Structure formats: structure tokens, C-alpha cells
Amino acid sequence: MLWLLAHDDLPWLGSGAVSHEPERLYTRWRDTLDEGAYPAGDPLWQYPPGAGPALLLPGLLMPRLPYPWAFTALTLAADAVITAALAGAGVSRAGRARDRSLRGALLWTGGLPLLLHLPLARFDVQVTAPAVGALLVTARLPRLGGALAAFGALAKAWPALVLVGTEPGRTTRRAWTAAALTAVTLLALLASLFTGVLSFLRQQGERGVQIESLGGTLLSLATRAGWPGQVRYRYGAMELVGPGVGAVAAVALALTAAAFALIALWRLRAVRAALRHGHWPAVLPYDAALAAVLLLTVTSRVISPQYMVWLLGLAAVCLTRRDTTQRPVALLVTAAAAVSALAYPVLYDEVVARTWTGCLVMTVRNGLLVAAAVLACTRLDRLTRCSPAPDARGGGARDGEARNGGVHDGDGRDGHARDGDARDGDARAARDARDEDGPPAPTPRSPLGG
């Protein structure tokens, strides 16, 4: 990332986009927010209210730096925090060496630069940081995990999905309650400090079909067959306009609603399966978060290239555990990130012109994302249905039982005590037999010694 920052002026890296985009857009929004209002009249403002503090933070933390420099410095700091968190999660803890892996930190470190300058020119890395943190701490500190998820969700909505796989019972109650209370409190605070808190809803609702979305790819291919639609710059993105675009947008919205219903259905089935098996796999929250965000990404009317930052972060969290089911999904996400860099900024003119080259690039990128979403959901469902019973999992199941309540803890301690009593009895019997039979015969030594 530092090399990309130093060579930001290269044409295939966006010709200075790292410094120009925050200065051209985020600085303007920061000035409006400084006056106590959200940029309600700006059609480019489409973010939940938590994005306001995120954009103010660079100037507050580093007031002596020009805003674009402070923004980039904060992005690099968030990147470092995510890397450290993933590395810490990948380092084996006492008795859990087989469960942990540093592959997550390696994926994030090597995967993020595949997006070229983009992570440094958007605030998605800053939003990914609390989402990653929420996933990593919720099992141990559910209230903190819920609060972190709420912070992220108030800026870009998707981090709320990191709580979809929390363990039923106390963990879910604490995490979801903390998330709700944090979100309501922060929303009320922002409403008291700024005007136009919910203005983003109007701009977000009026968005059309972005050219990088799955529907946009289908319409771009239709152009090669004679479809007369055009590309227009609207709401901060290149969108398609023409006959049939409204129908494609409606289908995308219906698919998004269906995706939410599918996620809710999976949650219900997973809880029922856990009640039957008495076990909730420790990796399930990680895998569920990646599958849920992938599903909502591919069904969206908008698949901006910065969405890949989210997916890389979630895939990296999955890879911090060796028992994840999402390893091939992470490979597909990484490949999609590399192709996304071709789509934007390297070959973006081809994509907008809907040439065969542009259509091919977008077909490959979105095809990889669809394959990743289908594979992620399939593997998650298999993990949910085929999770072994606690007594078949050895140490992992005992860890889960210890988390689920004191009854299991007590049973475990009693079991250890019984094992100790049995070992003491065996030792006493051996001593009695030795005393009766006399001292044991010496062990024969090899003629060669040793």
C-alpha cells in the first residue's frame, strides 16, 4: 500500500486519485459537516449518518495536516489495525494451536494491494476495521462486538451482518442488544448535532443500475446484441439508462429482499440444528458473515469496486481459523479483487464503452462473485446441517460446552475428577501387586548398549 501511495500519479493507478478524490469530494463534505449539517442537497451523498463522523475524524485527529493527507494516514492506520488484529487472531493460544492460522493476515496484506489505489481513496478500510474487530471479539466480549458492529453499520450498513452468526443464547442477546442500544444512542446524538441525518435515504432510493453490477453486466452484453441503452453519470457512478433498466432494477431489489429472507431462514435452521446437536461451531460466525455479505453483494443494483474491500476483510477473518469452510471462497474473492482492478481503474474506459473487452472483464469479475456466493452459502449450509455432536468433537466441543453454561463446566470438572480417581486407583493396584510379587526383573540391555 505504501508503494501504491508513492506511485499514485501513474496513469494506470488513477493519475493521482488518492489525493484528488478525498480533496475533491470528501473535503467538500467535511466542510458541510463542520457547519452542522449533512450534505442533503448533494446527490452523491448516499451514506448512513455514521459516515459523517468517519469523514470528520481525519481532521480531528490530525488538524495540522491537509485533509487529504490526514485521510490517507487514517486509512493506513486502519489497515495496520486490521492486519494486527488478524495476525493476533491467527496466533495460536494455549491449547488451540490446531485451530488458528496466519493465512487471514496474509490474505489481507497481499489481497488489499490487488485493488491498487482504491482502498486509499475511499473510507471502506476504516469501516472494515470495526467489522473485523466485531467478528473477532464477539464470542468472548459480545457487548463490545455488538457495539463495534453498530459503529460500522451506521457508516455503511453491511457490518450489521457480522452478527448474523452469533451463538444463540447469552452471546446473541448481549451482542444484539448492545448493537441496538449503540445504534439508537449514536443516531440520537447525531440527530441532535446535525441536520439532514436521514437525507441519504432519498439519494440511495433513487439509484439505478450501476454498470459494474450483475444487472449492469447483462445490459452491457445486451448492448452488443443491439440494445439501445446509454451510460450516464448519476449519483456518483456510471449507470445504465434505457428501455428495460427499470425492470432490471426491480428484479435486483426483489433478489435483495429474497437474500435477506434466505439469511433469516438460515439463521432459524441453524438455531434449530444447534438445539438438536447441542453445539455451535466456533467458526460459524465468521463463515456466516462472509456468506451473507456475498449474497447481498451479488444481488445489489450497485457493486462498486470498493465492495471488494469488505469481502477481503471478511474472507481474511475466516482464514484465521483452520476449520473454516470458506477457504475456496476466499480464493474466489481474491481473484475477483484482482479482476476488479482491471475493471477500475485500468480498463474502466472499456467497461463504460461496453466494448467486448469491458464486457469480458465484468463478466469474469461478477461470475467469480456469483460463484463465491453460491459456494459460500452451500458450504455454510453443510456446516450447519452436518455439525457433529459435542461428544464427537473432543477438545473443541468441550470448549463450546464451557462457553454454553456452567452445567457443562461442572460435568467437565467432575469427569476430570473421575478420571483422576481412576488413575489413582490403578496406581494403588499396581503398587500392591508389586509388593506381593517382589521387585520387578531388570530390563535386558542390548549387547550394543543404549
Side-chain angles (χ1 to χ4, degrees), residues 414-441:
D414 293 343
H416 292 313
R418 286 193 295 271
D419 291 343
D421 293 342
R423 286 193 295 270
D424 292 342
D426 293 341
R428 285 193 298 271
R431 285 195 300 270
D432 293 342
R434 184 180 60 202
D435 293 340
E436 292 175 2
D437 298 339

Side-chain angles (χ1 to χ4, degrees), residues 8 186 283:
D8 179 47
L186 289 178
V283 75

Side-chain angles (χ1 to χ4, degrees), residues 91-123:
V91 174
S92 62
R93 298 178 184 175
R96 299 182 183 178
R98 290 174 295 178
D99 295 340
R100 307 289 171 169
S101 173
L102 287 172
R103 292 191 185 99
L106 294 175
L107 173 66
W108 176 258
T109 304
L112 196 64
L114 293 177
L115 296 171
L116 303 180
H117 77 282
L118 189 71
L120 296 172
R122 303 287 191 275
F123 63 95

Side-chain angles (χ1 to χ4, degrees), residues 206-224:
E206 292 176 355
R207 296 199 69 170
V209 178
Q210 187 171 334
I211 197 169
E212 293 105 317
S213 68
L214 186 59
T217 299
L218 296 176
L219 291 173
S220 295
L221 290 171
T223 301
R224 308 308 305 173

